[in-house]
Amino acid sequence: KLPHELKYLAVIESHLKTGATSWVGAAGPWQFMPETAKRYGLIVNSERDDRRDFFLSTHAAAKMLEELFSIYQDWLLVIAAYNGGPGRVDEAIRESMSRNFWELQHYLPEESRKHVKKFIATHYVMESGKVVFDFEKNKTPQKNDINRTSGLKSEKIKGKYLSHIIVQELSINKSI
């Protein structure tokens, strides 16, 4: 019953790795926190962690996404709530007096804003088949590779631009 594009959430959450664990303790391909996992029927204890079971955690994520959609009726808000929690989205709605992600995004934590944008970008890359960055090799394609394989063009930019602002807005790792 859910849009098939939501599968890309697991790509940005964990790179589809069942062994992924975040610094706050979220685990598995869908990056469930222990209490959230239990709420959606997953077992998390010292002997078993269903968050790392791809099949079980995917069904739990589907339940969660369906529940969030019943609340927000907007997939971008659902993705923001999946990342930062419904409380943060509810607060952003109240403060902005809007239910439009693009209007309320600046009332959300930066991580949740970027999460939605990463989802949109991942969906675009996965559906278009265009690869701009090879995450496995941590390598940016050369100019000729970009033009030849992805149909993208490089553009010269004139004027004064602060590179740290560009890096921040594009969510680029500064060490690249």
Side-chain angles (χ1 to χ4, degrees):
K1 298 177 185 177
L2 298 174
H4 77 277
E5 294 88 354
L6 292 173
K7 64 188 173 193
Y8 301 126
L9 266 178
V11 173
I12 60 173
E13 289 287 345
S14 68
H15 298 261
L16 300 176
K17 295 179 181 173
T18 57
T21 304
S22 76
W23 65 275
V24 293
W30 293 94
Q31 290 293 283
F32 276 110
M33 292 296 287
E35 290 307 312
T36 306
K38 290 174 185 176
R39 180 173 174 216
Y40 290 98
L42 299 177
I43 296 170
V44 180
N45 59 38
S46 59
E47 297 172 16
R48 180 173 158 183
D49 191 345
D50 289 344
R51 296 176 299 168
R52 298 183 186 287
D53 181 295
F54 211 95
F55 182 80
L56 295 175
S57 65
T58 298
H59 281 273
K63 288 178 193 174
M64 182 178 182
L65 291 165
E66 188 174 48
E67 181 179 301
L68 290 170
F69 187 76
S70 73
I71 296 167
Y72 298 111
Q73 299 294 304
D74 180 288
W75 288 112
L76 298 181
L77 296 181
V78 167
I79 293 164
Y82 190 91
N83 174 261
R88 298 257 171 114
V89 173
D90 293 343
E91 184 179 329
I93 290 170
R94 277 192 307 278
E95 290 179 8
S96 69
M97 295 184 287
S98 175
R99 294 183 67 84
N100 179 316
F101 171 78
W102 302 108
E103 292 176 14
L104 65 73
Q105 67 173 315
H106 296 290
Y107 295 89
L108 291 169
E110 181 180 17
E111 182 182 340
S112 296
R113 286 194 310 266
K114 287 184 176 181
H115 198 72
V116 172
K117 294 170 186 176
K118 285 177 188 177
F119 172 80
I120 293 168
T122 302
H123 173 260
Y124 174 78
V125 169
M126 297 298 234
E127 295 291 320
S128 71
K130 296 176 182 175
V131 177
V132 178
F133 187 84
D134 185 342
F135 289 101
E136 290 301 312
K137 295 180 183 168
N138 200 24
K139 176 181 176 259
T140 306
Q142 299 302 308
K143 180 179 176 182
N144 290 338
D145 295 336
I146 292 173
N147 292 337
R148 185 174 55 250
T149 62
S150 69
L152 298 177
K153 293 180 183 176
S154 60
E155 294 285 334
K156 289 193 178 199
I157 300 173
K158 293 181 181 178
K160 293 183 179 181
Y161 298 92
L162 299 174
S163 60
H164 72 278
I165 300 294
I166 294 169
V167 165
Q168 177 183 328
E169 289 301 312
L170 297 176
S171 300
I172 297 173
N173 184 338
K174 291 179 186 177
S175 65
I176 295 175

